[in-house]
């Protein structure tokens, strides 16, 4: 079992930055692919970014490319999402997720409770 706890959300003005953190407890963190998703009110959950076990390979959703950076520190069981040039449309609850599979596609095994990000115009 893996428990995921997100932090770092908040209110920021458009053009600003935030860094989200997700700390994992439980089984070996370094063996899990990690990802970030988001869900805005009235919208479906959207893929934001994912990072491989070693951190060497990353993929981003279209809305995140060029503005967001996912990274991880396996020594402290934490994955990050650095978000720059934030826009009001980035407003959403951001969720951290983990999976034992190395595949980018497919379902995810564990989810955090989410952290709210609000970007004001």
């Amino acid at each position: 079992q893996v428990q995921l706890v997100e932090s770092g959300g908040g209110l920021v003005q458009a053009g600003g930055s935030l860094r989200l953190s997700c700390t994992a407890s439980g089984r070996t963190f370094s063996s899990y692919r990690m990802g970030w998703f988001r869900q805005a009110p009235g919208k479906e959950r959207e893929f934001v970014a994912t990072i491989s076990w070693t951190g060497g390979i990353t993929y981003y959703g279209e809305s995140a490319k060029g503005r967001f950076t996912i990274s991880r520190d396996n020594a402290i069981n934490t994955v990050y999402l650095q978000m720059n040039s934030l826009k009001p449309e980035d407003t959403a609850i951001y969720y951290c997720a983990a999976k034992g599979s190395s595949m980018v596609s497919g379902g995810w095994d564990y989810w955090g409770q989410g952290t709210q990000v609000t970007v004001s115009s």
Side-chain angles (χ1 to χ4, degrees):
Q1 194 75 2
V2 174
Q3 292 80 42
L4 304 173
V5 179
E6 302 98 333
S7 62
L11 174 64
V12 64
Q13 288 188 332
S17 298
L18 280 176
R19 187 176 80 158
L20 306 183
S21 300
C22 172
T23 300
S25 61
R27 301 183 67 180
T28 306
F29 175 76
S30 60
S31 65
Y32 283 84
R33 169 173 289 280
M34 301 299 296
W36 286 97
F37 293 77
R38 70 185 186 185
Q39 188 166 21
K43 295 187 176 181
E44 294 187 352
R45 187 171 58 199
E46 175 187 13
F47 166 73
V48 176
T50 184
I51 188 167
S52 62
W53 301 343
T54 63
I57 301 175
T58 57
Y59 294 100
Y60 296 91
E62 286 301 316
S63 62
K65 289 180 180 177
R67 299 187 300 128
F68 295 0
T69 303
I70 188 171
S71 62
R72 67 191 293 164
D73 187 341
N74 289 342
I76 57 172
N77 290 2
T78 300
V79 61
Y80 303 99
L81 184 68
Q82 177 67 44
M83 305 186 294
N84 298 327
S85 303
L86 283 163
K87 306 173 183 179
E89 51 263 45
D90 294 318
T91 295
I93 299 175
Y94 284 71
Y95 297 93
C96 175
K99 63 161 71 174
S101 168
S102 63
M103 301 296 290
V104 175
S105 60
W108 291 76
D109 301 320
Y110 304 101
W111 293 86
Q113 84 290 349
T115 186
Q116 176 71 47
V117 171
T118 302
V119 184
S120 63
S121 57

